[in-house]
Amino acid sequence: MKPTPMSEPEIATAPAAPKKDRTKKEPEWTPIRRPDHVIMHWLIAATARLWFRWYGRWQVIGLENVPKTGGVVIAANHVSYVDPVMGWAAIGRVRQMWGLAKSELWRNPVSAYLMVCIGTLPVRRGTADRAMLRKALELLAKGEAVGLFPEGARSPDGKLQPGQPGLALIVQKSGVPVVPVGLLGTYEMLPRNRKKFKRTRLKVVFGEPMTFASDTPRDQITNRVMTAIAALLSAHGQPTDPPPPVSSAARHSPTASNV
């Protein structure tokens, strides 16, 4: 039996076919659970430390300032792609640190697997990523260490940039201490616009933990942490001025820092 053709009025009023959802799904964050994740985690960390010791002749200074237990934020300057791996490998001697990475890295199965093994949170850059903020606060509440770059992105010229509000927001809501970190030599090794590594000496310098009262304004938290990072860089061979102070209006922004 042949179907009856539809008239023009019927065609006009017929329901449209449902559109396919072509929006890309947000990457799922998974904690380290499976045995292979744990094995890869320590294998990558050990390999990174060997590479930094051989190629960068690195020094890790002040590691005793990192609390071995309890929630803590690790805040470092950011000038190179080398920074996240170097900071993560250094602190891995005393405890695991969760980091932040751009969500685009979860689109490739291989890099997504590595991100899970290392222990990272996907961050949607250029947005107020509240999902990432909640996950970071959950980790801190469980006594974990979370590392981030207050500047929000790599410095284009190697100079310390103003801190973004995300750091202060996380510190204010979690109440955990902040350990400032100075990363030296990574800009000379691999600056923003270069693809080849240059062999140079590296340093990771951990400062003393900083604590803030719950009513401390966010701009003061940001400015004090950035000043502490500048002091660490200056004290270890890289004279650095603190970035311009963050205005009080910025402390109301929910934007989170990312890597």
Side-chain angles (χ1 to χ4, degrees):
M1 181 175 178
K2 295 183 179 180
T4 305
M6 296 177 66
S7 64
E8 290 188 6
E10 289 176 322
I11 293 173
T13 58
K19 294 182 179 180
K20 293 183 179 180
D21 184 5
R22 298 182 182 277
T23 57
K24 293 183 178 180
K25 294 182 179 180
E26 289 299 317
E28 294 292 332
W29 169 76
T30 307
I32 296 177
R33 286 178 180 171
R34 296 190 337 217
D36 60 305
H37 291 162
V38 177
I39 293 171
M40 285 297 296
H41 177 96
W42 294 111
L43 180 61
I44 294 170
T47 302
R49 282 192 285 270
L50 284 172
W51 189 85
F52 285 121
R53 188 178 299 121
W54 166 72
Y55 193 78
R57 295 167 290 175
W58 74 339
Q59 285 182 279
V60 179
I61 302 169
L63 193 57
E64 67 276 5
N65 289 324
V66 178
K68 294 183 179 180
T69 59
V72 61
V73 170
I74 309 297
N77 60 305
H78 193 20
V79 295
S80 170
Y81 276 138
V82 177
D83 298 332
V85 181
M86 187 167 77
W88 172 78
I91 200 173
R93 292 178 174 180
V94 294
R95 64 181 299 174
Q96 178 182 328
M97 179 180 73
W98 299 90
L100 311 180
K102 58 186 180 182
S103 59
E104 292 87 343
L105 292 173
W106 270 258
R107 295 175 184 172
N108 179 286
V110 176
S111 62
Y113 176 77
L114 293 175
M115 292 298 103
V116 173
C117 293
I118 292 173
T120 54
L121 305 177
V123 180
R124 293 173 296 172
R125 298 186 296 175
T127 66
D129 195 340
R130 298 182 185 278
M132 181 282 300
L133 176 62
R134 287 194 299 270
K135 291 169 183 176
L137 291 174
E138 288 173 6
L139 286 170
L140 292 169
K142 293 177 181 178
E144 300 286 351
V146 174
L148 53 81
F149 299 114
E151 297 160 279
R154 287 171 296 155
S155 170
D157 56 7
K159 296 180 181 179
L160 199 60
Q161 305 298 304
Q164 300 300 311
L167 165 70
L169 183 61
I170 290 174
V171 172
Q172 199 176 61
K173 287 183 174 294
S174 66
V176 302
V178 181
V179 174
V181 181
L183 302 176
L184 297 91
T186 55
Y187 182 76
E188 291 75 17
M189 177 173 281
L190 189 68
R192 188 167 185 167
N193 296 318
R194 200 171 69 213
K195 296 182 179 180
K196 292 184 178 181
F197 287 91
K198 178 182 177 181
R199 193 168 191 177
T200 185
R201 284 187 176 274
L202 303 173
K203 285 184 183 180
V204 186
V205 186
F206 295 91
E208 296 183 359
M210 306 173 67
T211 56
F212 299 92
S214 59
D215 60 349
T216 304
R218 292 178 190 170
D219 57 334
Q220 290 188 22
I221 296 174
T222 302
N223 294 334
R224 286 175 57 186
V225 171
M226 299 309 295
T227 298
I229 293 174
L232 290 173
L233 296 172
S234 298
H236 291 273
Q238 183 178 309
T240 303
D241 294 324
V246 175
S247 65
S248 58
R251 68 172 180 253
H252 300 291
S253 169
T255 304
S257 305
N258 54 57
V259 179

